[in-house]
Amino acid sequence: MLKRVFSFLAPKLPSEQAVALYSAIVTQARRPEFYRDFAVPDTLDGRFDMIVLHTILTLRRLGRIGEQGRALSQTLFDLLFADMDSSLREIGVGDLSVGKKVKAMAQAFYGRADAYEAGLNSPAADAALTGALARNLYGTASAPPDPALAGMATYMRQVDTNLAAQEDEYLLAGKLVFPAPPSLLR
């Protein structure tokens, strides 16, 4: 009886579908091509930004599905920040600082989401999208090479198109396929 009364206090476990989506996002974000060919900084910030970029693209697609997509989006978002919290603790960030850092990460996420959404909704000239990428994805590094910046903008549009073509039921089942990043600077 007490279990039911206090069940709302227990942390909710993420759905299998959200875990599968997040795993696909992290796997894609870790591809060495991004760091080698696209000059994404191979740092904690760079890796965070690649996970955020792919999460934003996935949430953008899930948002078009309806109520089920929105619910899965929220679970995926929650999973992302639970993972960030855990990762901060693993690298030794003190308990008192974790909440502040996660809050800053969430603010960064929302800022990037707005900027990438505006860029993806703009004409394919990519000025808005490349500007957003230059500020966010490459913000901690020196100016990225023009081919890398343009390549990332092209890649984001390619992923957006690819995700739009994937069946709703497929995504709701936690199945997600990202295209391979194109070769750029080899």
Side-chain angles (χ1 to χ4, degrees), residues 24 37 42 47-48 55 57 75 95 139-140 145 151 155-157 165 169-170 174 185:
D37 299 346
D42 194 2
R47 289 181 177 264
F48 167 75
T55 301
L57 289 166
T75 305
D95 287 342
T140 60
Y155 170 75
M156 283 186 72
R157 290 191 186 282
E169 295 77 27
Y170 189 75
L185 306 173

Side-chain angles (χ1 to χ4, degrees), residues 29-146:
R30 289 182 176 168
R31 289 186 67 136
E33 297 95 328
F34 294 118
Y35 307 95
R36 181 187 63 225
D37 299 346
F38 289 87
V40 172
D42 194 2
T43 62
L44 288 174
D45 287 341
R47 289 181 177 264
F48 167 75
D49 272 307
M50 286 304 298
I51 291 170
V52 165
L53 182 146
H54 287 91
T55 301
I56 289 167
L57 289 166
T58 304
L59 295 177
R60 177 177 159 94
R61 173 59 178 93
L62 289 172
R64 296 182 189 131
I65 294 176
E67 186 56 39
Q68 286 181 301
R70 286 188 291 280
L72 184 54
S73 291
Q74 184 61 57
T75 305
L76 178 59
F77 177 85
D78 294 345
L79 181 58
L80 165 68
F81 283 96
D83 184 45
M84 293 300 120
D85 181 287
S86 176
S87 294
L88 288 170
R89 292 174 193 282
E90 283 179 21
I91 63 172
V93 174
D95 287 342
L96 296 176
S97 299
V98 170
K100 292 176 191 171
K101 291 192 181 290
V102 170
K103 181 178 178 182
M105 294 168 109
Q107 289 171 336
F109 178 92
Y110 285 120
R112 283 156 175 75
D114 289 344
Y116 293 155
E117 184 76 22
L120 288 165
N121 289 335
S122 71
D126 287 333
L129 189 55
T130 56
L133 287 166
R135 284 187 311 277
N136 297 304
L137 186 60
Y138 296 103
T140 60
S142 58
D146 286 340

Side-chain angles (χ1 to χ4, degrees), residues 61 65 162-173 175:
R61 173 59 178 93
I65 294 176
N162 177 280
L163 291 176
Q166 293 180 35
E167 296 291 326
D168 291 354
E169 295 77 27
Y170 189 75
L171 291 163
L172 291 172
K175 298 176 183 172

